Amino acid sequence: MNSAVKNEKLNNWIKEVAEMCQPDDIYLCSGTKEEYDLMMAKLLASGSAIPLKKRPNSFLFRSDPSDVARVEDRTYISTSSKDEAGPTNNWVAPAELKNTMKGLYKGCMKGRTMYVIPFSMGPIGSPISKIGVEISDSPYVVCNMHTMTRVSSKVLELLDAGEDFIPCLHSIGAPLAKGQKDVQWPCAPIENKYISHFPEENLIWSYGSGYGGNALLGKKCLALRIASAMAKREGWLAEHMLILRLTNPEGKQYHIAAAFPSACGKTNLAMMQPSIKGWKCECIGDDIAWMKIGTDGRLHAINPESGFFGVAPGTSYDTNPMAMDTIKENIIFTNCALTDDGDVWWEGINDAVPSHLIDWKGHDWTPDSQGDAAHPNARFTAPAAQCPVICKDWENPKGVPIDIFIFGGRRSSVVPLVYEAYSWDHGVFLGATAASETTFANIGAVGHLRRDPFAMKPFCGYNMGDYFQHWFNMGEKLGSKAPRIFYVNWFRKNQDGKYLWPGFSDNSRVLKWMCERVDNKVNAEKSPIGLLPKEADIDLAGLNISSENMKELMEVSLKEWKAEIPDIENHFATFGKRLPESLKKQLKELAARLG
Ligand code: GTP
Ligand code: SPV
Ligand code: MN
């Protein structure tokens, strides 16, 4: 190893893993630019990284076609009893899972270097931050972790001084025999992939995938699955939420945290530039929020990450100009298409479709080719600090006080553009019953409706029935200082399958209504599902949208909503005794209001 570690737990763990995985080398990371360049040079030499002429210090990677997204079917919450993991998680007993995985880990780093990556989620040294150490055999993971988390020798100093850490073990699961040539994207077959969490001992073991949340273990594994379990124990919240600051023309600030399922618009809303005059939006985080009750009794949010792992397809100067300006340099692109002049391309980046590209699989592509040029879950890894509208308080260890929570999802029908919860408890019901059409962000069927409570179904590290109760408890603690709760659907379609709402910067119109509700400037219309905006209260100035479209967007069909009830009942039934009484009460009240 290139330098010494004084933290005994870390030292022992490194030894233990090295004995099991048998790497050729061990490298302790310090997070410097030189280190990043060294890793990238290695990836260039092996042919894994493709330099992009058009973007300084930026590189394209092509994954194995079998390793393009998170694998929820292979993701485990391994608690001592199955009941603790609950009905939304896969479960195997810790001893059995560890035994299986030890078999896979044995010798799995042969022919490779084992990287030890000390990182901080949240500003280094802040009392709300958590330290993790990822061990990985992938230099691609090292580079991505540099951007997505705070990898630093300062973290090592904290560890040397005795601070604790969350061990995150990762292997791509592709040992190299002597003289064996490496492939562009080494990984294990799907049946050998395991993304395992042991929340009772704050431990993560991941094997077989090099992609996104399967491999960058600070993100979903630590900051959501392990952190949600810690948050439950310690009385705070770890959520799949963007954080933004909205400032009205009078200069009043509002902080909004919004939970949408994967690939349902968090990055876009986080960087949105309002189309309404005088309003300003700044980004604090685009995927994860850690929230604690402050000394003022309010809920304060920080973004534990330091980068964006954003969906590329659909990102353009029309839809998300701030993301486009963020990704001009120092970017890792994964599974995007390559243009002949050395730039990246994806569906929706602009109107001009090039006559020739190399697609995400490395094949020639023309507009006549079958299939997308970029994979639908192609991503960019970008430093948050490069975002032109990053909020000056994005690294403030105190966080920002949340005024508004938003839940939502992708629903082509039934759910109106926006409505407000009657109360905190009703808001928890809206979160608990949130449903969305599935996307390419998970390997599996796309486009089918599933309940994805709080956009946390794949990310809750314990029994979700208890998670619902935790939300009720937080509401009780917050009392009158609790954020107001809203539900949105940017994705309602008309009969021709066209989106009814323009979305993106025009979503500011909906946020404005929410702020006016918070300030008691406008009344709302009672409906069976919640409070709806009065027709004139959504600011449509300068927007060319017909009143029929608005009507269709806002429609609440009693028939359609009554049909949701049995589905919610089935959803709730899966939690058995762990379902909070308050949710049963809310469901009864909804059914009664629907008549
Ligand atoms: P994860 O990173 O997977 O958690 O996704 P995310 O929630 O950050 O989703 P993102 O903002 O990357 O959006 C995913 C896709 O939805 C992109 O193709 C966007 O163009 C599209 N999208 C985002 N916002 C809107 C919107 O307001 N309207 C419409 N029609 N599409 C949107
Ligand atoms: C998501 O799927 O919600 C993501 C991408 O943010 S990943 O990091 O792969 O989980
Ligand atoms: Mn996400």
Side-chain angles (χ1 to χ4, degrees):
M1 197 158 73
N2 50 324
S3 60
V5 168
K6 290 198 205 100
N7 183 300
E8 202 184 315
K9 172 178 160 188
L10 179 56
N11 238 331
N12 291 341
W13 184 55
I14 294 171
K15 266 194 211 130
E16 197 185 300
V17 172
E19 266 164 37
M20 177 166 70
C21 301
Q22 298 162 36
D24 286 6
D25 251 321
I26 305 178
Y27 179 100
L28 181 63
C29 296
S30 60
T32 60
K33 173 153 187 340
E34 291 69 39
E35 179 174 286
Y36 185 96
D37 294 345
L38 184 75
M39 296 299 138
M40 209 44 100
K42 218 174 148 154
L43 290 158
L44 281 165
S46 71
S48 293
I50 300 161
L52 295 167
K53 278 192 214 119
K54 294 280 175 178
R55 289 173 205 251
N57 192 33
S58 300
F59 304 88
L60 172 65
F61 288 81
R62 296 188 189 117
S63 80
D64 188 275
S66 70
D67 198 27
V68 294
R70 283 182 298 102
V71 283
E72 290 177 16
D73 285 353
R74 313 282 321 157
T75 299
Y76 296 87
I77 299 296
S78 181
T79 39
S80 36
S81 85
K82 184 172 176 6
D83 206 32
E84 286 310 311
T88 57
N89 286 311
N90 300 310
W91 179 86
V92 173
E96 187 190 336
L97 185 56
K98 282 187 181 168
N99 202 33
T100 306
M101 289 190 74
K102 276 182 187 164
L104 292 165
Y105 279 132
K106 194 160 182 249
C108 71
M109 294 187 186
K110 275 188 187 157
R112 301 193 184 275
T113 299
M114 174 176 128
Y115 300 98
V116 180
I117 316 166
F119 64 94
S120 175
M121 300 308 289
I124 295 171
S126 147
I128 32 175
S129 299
K130 302 267 181 237
I131 292 178
V133 179
E134 176 159 352
I135 288 185
S136 173
D137 51 6
S138 160
Y140 166 86
V141 164
V142 175
C143 288
N144 275 275
M145 287 294 285
H146 267 225
T147 303
M148 295 304 299
T149 73
R150 289 141 174 117
V151 178
S152 168
S153 52
K154 283 195 206 125
V155 175
L156 270 180
E157 285 165 22
L158 291 174
L159 288 168
D160 284 348
E163 279 220 29
D164 198 15
F165 67 96
I166 298 163
C168 313
L169 174 55
H170 171 252
S171 172
I172 50 177
L176 286 170
K178 275 236 155 56
Q180 185 186 341
K181 198 180 167 318
D182 206 359
V183 294
Q184 217 181 30
W185 184 281
C187 64
I190 183 82
E191 65 276 13
N192 284 346
K193 290 190 201 326
Y194 286 87
I195 319 298
S196 303
H197 308 74
F198 305 92
E200 288 156 354
E201 47 181 319
N202 289 346
L203 175 68
I204 300 163
W205 278 12
S206 165
Y207 183 90
S209 169
Y211 200 92
N214 301 332
L216 314 176
L217 304 186
K219 196 174 179 56
K220 306 303 184 177
C221 299
L222 193 162
L224 287 178
R225 298 194 191 97
I226 294 295
S228 63
M230 295 174 103
K232 164 76 172 37
R233 293 194 293 263
E234 298 166 6
W236 51 285
L237 294 169
E239 300 296 329
H240 192 202
M241 289 181 174
L242 68 92
I243 312 165
L244 65 82
R245 169 181 291 170
L246 198 61
T247 308
N248 78 6
E250 291 76 46
K252 180 168 178 194
Q253 291 178 352
Y254 306 83
H255 294 100
I256 302 182
F260 309 145
S262 301
C264 291
K266 287 183 300 301
T267 302
N268 276 270
L269 191 65
M271 298 176 193
M272 179 266 298
Q273 291 308 287
S275 57
I276 41 176
K277 270 210 197 96
W279 288 70
K280 191 169 121 187
C281 183
E282 292 161 287
C283 174
I284 294 162
D286 82 324
D287 199 50
I288 299 176
W290 283 357
M291 291 170 282
K292 290 189 177 159
I293 300 177
T295 46
D296 58 357
R298 300 184 67 193
L299 200 54
H300 291 254
I302 69 149
N303 169 14
E305 301 189 280
S306 62
F308 308 124
F309 185 62
V311 178
T315 306
S316 71
Y317 273 102
D318 286 337
T319 58
N320 194 350
M322 294 305 114
M324 292 300 282
D325 281 344
T326 304
I327 61 176
K328 283 179 173 164
E329 53 186 353
N330 312 317
I331 306 301
I332 298 167
F333 293 95
T334 306
N335 289 341
C336 301
L338 178 68
T339 66
D340 291 347
D341 60 352
D343 200 0
V344 279
W345 191 88
W346 49 76
E347 278 67 20
I349 191 172
N350 48 31
D351 293 335
V353 179
S355 57
H356 177 261
L357 291 164
I358 304 294
D359 71 10
W360 68 276
K361 289 180 176 165
H363 301 144
D364 286 306
W365 186 96
T366 69
D368 296 329
S369 298
Q370 276 201 336
D372 294 326
H375 186 276
N377 193 41
R379 299 254 172 183
F380 52 78
T381 312
Q386 284 183 197
C387 180
V389 290
I390 198 79
C391 180
K392 68 170 177 19
D393 281 321
W394 84 280
E395 297 192 281
N396 187 337
K398 289 206 181 84
V400 295
I402 298 299
D403 300 284
I404 291 170
F405 275 135
I406 309 178
F407 300 119
R410 209 177 259 273
R411 290 293 298 262
S412 41
S413 61
V414 184
V415 179
L417 178 64
V418 60
Y419 58 107
E420 183 185 344
Y422 282 116
S423 61
W424 177 270
D425 283 10
H426 183 224
V428 174
F429 174 79
L430 299 187
T433 54
S436 192
E437 287 143 26
T438 49
T439 66
F440 288 98
N442 163 44
I443 299 229
V446 170
H448 77 265
L449 188 70
R450 75 167 181 184
R451 296 281 157 196
D452 186 349
F454 294 78
M456 282 289 277
K457 182 180 184 292
F459 308 120
C460 183
Y462 60 101
N463 191 306
M464 204 158 222
D466 296 350
Y467 169 94
F468 297 150
Q469 187 57 52
H470 182 48
W471 265 80
F472 285 118
N473 297 348
M474 289 298 286
E476 215 154 274
K477 277 192 213 156
L478 286 160
S480 64
K481 291 183 175 165
R484 292 270 276 267
I485 303 180
F486 296 82
Y487 198 98
V488 302
N489 176 25
W490 314 139
F491 300 94
R492 199 168 192 173
K493 289 178 175 173
N494 68 12
Q495 281 177 338
D496 305 329
K498 289 240 161 69
Y499 289 121
L500 285 160
W501 179 247
F504 306 104
S505 61
D506 289 314
N507 293 334
S508 58
R509 301 171 189 277
V510 176
L511 302 192
K512 178 184 171 185
W513 177 71
M514 294 176 186
C515 296
E516 291 177 344
R517 285 292 301 154
V518 167
D519 290 341
N520 293 316
K521 280 189 188 157
V522 292
N523 291 321
E525 206 96 57
K526 278 190 181 165
S527 91
I529 64 165
L531 294 160
L532 296 173
K534 289 182 186 288
E535 208 184 309
D537 287 342
I538 300 270
D539 183 350
L540 297 177
L543 184 65
N544 192 7
I545 187 167
S546 69
S547 58
E548 291 97 82
N549 266 22
M550 276 314 287
K551 240 199 193 132
E552 219 179 320
L553 260 172
M554 292 310 310
E555 195 196 42
V556 176
S557 151
L558 291 186
K559 190 170 151 235
E560 286 174 352
W561 276 93
K562 278 183 189 166
E564 294 272 306
I565 300 276
D567 193 60
I568 295 175
E569 281 168 351
N570 289 339
H571 166 58
F572 278 1
T574 60
F575 300 101
K577 279 207 211 84
R578 302 250 187 167
L579 186 79
E581 286 301 320
S582 312
L583 281 180
K584 291 183 203 163
K585 181 166 167 268
Q586 286 295 329
L587 179 58
K588 245 192 223 148
E589 287 174 11
L590 171 65
R593 287 194 301 264
L594 287 166

